[in-house]
Amino acid sequence: MSTFIDGLSLGSIYALIALGYTMVYGIAKMLNFAHGDIIMVGSYAILTTLLMNGHPVLAIIAAVVICTALGVLIEKLAYKPLRGASPLAVLITAIGVSYFLQSVAQLIFGAQTHPISLVHFPPVVIGGVTISVSAIISLVVGALIMTLLTLFIKFTKLGRAMIAVSEDRAAAKLMGINVNMIIMVTFAIGSALAAFASTFYVMQIPNTSPTLGSMPGIKAFTAAVIGGIGSIPGAMLGGVLMGVVEKISLSIPVLAPYTTALEFSLLIIILLVKPTGLLGKKRREKV
Amino acid sequence: MALLEVRDLEVYYGVIQALKGISFDVNEGEIVTLIGANGAGKTTTMHSIMGLIPVKHGSVTYEGQLINKVPSHKIVKLGMTQVPEGRHIFQELTVYDNLLLGGYIENDMKKIKADIEDVYSRFPRLKERHSQIAGTLSGGEQQMLAMGRAMMSHPKLLMLDEPSMGLAPILVDQIFEIIKEFNKSGTTILLVEQNAGKALEIADHAYVLENGKIVLSGTGAELAASDEVKKAYLGG
């Protein structure tokens, strides 16, 4: 039971990150491989605020503000000039941005691991089951954020414009939608979600290093592909699935050493059965 | 001064020149049509006017303002939009959401709702299909949705790219009736059609495009009577 809750909690972290990949892919039609490193930047924002004796809440706000601004800045400086360039050029640029962010973090903070003590809750025991409070918080707040995002996309004008751009960019322009602005907003939202993911991540694994974002980044990307890249509910489903599989596998001694291999095998198996991912759709053309 | 003035328009796809210096006018209140074979440059002309593809040489002037370099979404705000070839409705959204997006440049929700009612009264079929996913509509309904959606932004100049493509003859007649109605209610129309006969019937002015150049022009009736047009585009 507690393994399952831990799994859901880790899953909601992966889902938050996966949403950033999937939204950017759906709307800007690019894979932002620097997205994982936004999590790392978020963790250093938290670390720095705490080192300056900032309140943990302030640390979280700092992470959200800095990550959002950074996401928008990266889009403007690195990706926007490549609008209309070959997808390969954009992909390589994204990988470059990823290394750039890691190198800058290493330059400022060094390569070593820094401990972060954001908050510490003693675990609670409910009905004989030990449950981590930070896991519950990640799970509940993560679910709340994802619900708000879904409502935002479904029921606001901006959300509708985002769907329009992801479905048909040229037609969206003909509605008077400023596509560049929508792409910027998408990066802002994706990066803000990554900041929350970062917060929950350091609550559970209380340290950071310049390569912190790599593993959760690649796992969340896998989650996004499992769910069907471009699909928002798909990213949530894929993320939760990855988290639960990871925690359950880690709790079984025979499987534990092979956990990462198992997670990526999940991707291969799902793509063999359903190449578009669990909730991914094939584009239909109707004449 | 014409509402839209196109002068010496040249457009390239890579090294291939798609438009080789096109000039024409669209006067306020008119229906103007561009006819020509596949690949003659009709769609390219429309896309370059809308800013969807870059103009290499020449100028596009709308209400006296040079709009070559104006991004598409701002052109829509100036009062011009396009019903693209193949409709390009938002397949995964409902009919209603498609119309809401058509009214994107309007901020007053009351006005948007009134406009949607107006579209529904012109196209009762869309009202019946209000909450249906647009991708599941028939071809004719999709064309109506695309036209209704375009009207939501109250264009002064509406460009229609092959509105009759792939539709049954009875629907084609209906679509042309609607175009005439739009025009009567004050919308200037620039129409691209392969169905040259139909297009010339309703056009005040017509231009024949061939290989990226205008080779003939005149009133709709003049071109419909011309031997060259009859031979090449009207099947005899």
Side-chain angles (χ1 to χ4, degrees), chain B residues 61-76:
Chain B
T61 313
Y62 173 79
E63 289 190 313
Q65 183 188 348
L66 192 67
I67 59 165
N68 289 22
K69 301 257 188 282
V70 178
S72 310
H73 68 272
K74 286 194 179 148
I75 293 181
V76 176

Side-chain angles (χ1 to χ4, degrees), chain A residues 51-279:
Chain A
L51 286 179
M52 298 188 319
N53 288 321
H55 190 273
V57 172
L58 186 68
I60 297 171
I61 294 171
V64 173
V65 170
I66 288 171
C67 288
T68 306
L70 183 66
V72 170
L73 193 71
I74 290 172
E75 197 280 318
K76 200 161 180 60
L77 295 181
Y79 303 146
K80 195 177 169 195
L82 293 174
R83 207 87 86 221
S86 95
L88 197 61
V90 184
L91 186 71
I92 290 170
T93 304
I95 294 170
V97 171
S98 168
Y99 283 123
F100 176 77
L101 292 177
Q102 290 181 20
S103 307
V104 169
Q106 189 169 335
L107 215 60
I108 301 174
F109 298 97
Q112 74 275 29
T113 299
H114 288 277
I116 298 181
S117 58
L118 180 60
V119 276
H120 187 73
F121 301 107
V124 291
V125 180
I126 303 170
V129 185
T130 312
I131 293 169
S132 143
V133 173
S134 43
I136 297 281
I137 292 177
S138 316
L139 180 57
V140 171
V141 180
L144 183 73
I145 292 172
M146 286 185 255
T147 311
L148 288 176
L149 178 72
T150 308
L151 294 175
F152 168 76
I153 287 179
K154 235 182 151 74
F155 295 111
T156 67
K157 185 171 172 171
L158 202 56
R160 233 181 343 263
M162 289 169 76
I163 302 179
V165 173
S166 92
E167 241 200 79
D168 193 324
R169 191 181 285 193
K173 286 181 184 172
L174 293 174
M175 306 296 106
I177 295 171
N178 181 348
V179 170
N180 281 331
M181 189 269 284
I182 297 294
I183 291 177
M184 191 190 81
V185 169
T186 306
F187 270 85
I189 294 175
S191 306
L193 296 179
F196 282 108
S198 180
T199 305
F200 301 144
Y201 201 76
V202 298
M203 266 165 66
Q204 301 192 18
I205 306 164
N207 49 52
T208 188
S209 70
T211 53
L212 173 88
S214 305
M215 215 33 171
I218 200 81
K219 282 184 184 168
F221 173 62
T222 307
V225 176
I226 284 178
I229 188 116
S231 157
I232 285 172
M236 299 179 190
L237 179 66
V240 169
L241 199 64
M242 283 287 275
V244 171
V245 167
E246 179 170 331
K247 287 293 184 186
I248 289 179
S249 167
L250 282 173
S251 73
I252 302 170
V254 194
L255 284 179
Y258 303 104
T259 297
T260 307
L262 188 74
E263 283 172 90
F264 291 117
S265 312
L266 190 67
L267 172 73
I268 296 171
I269 294 163
I270 287 177
L271 289 189
L272 278 176
V273 181
K274 204 162 180 303
T276 53
L278 291 173
L279 301 180

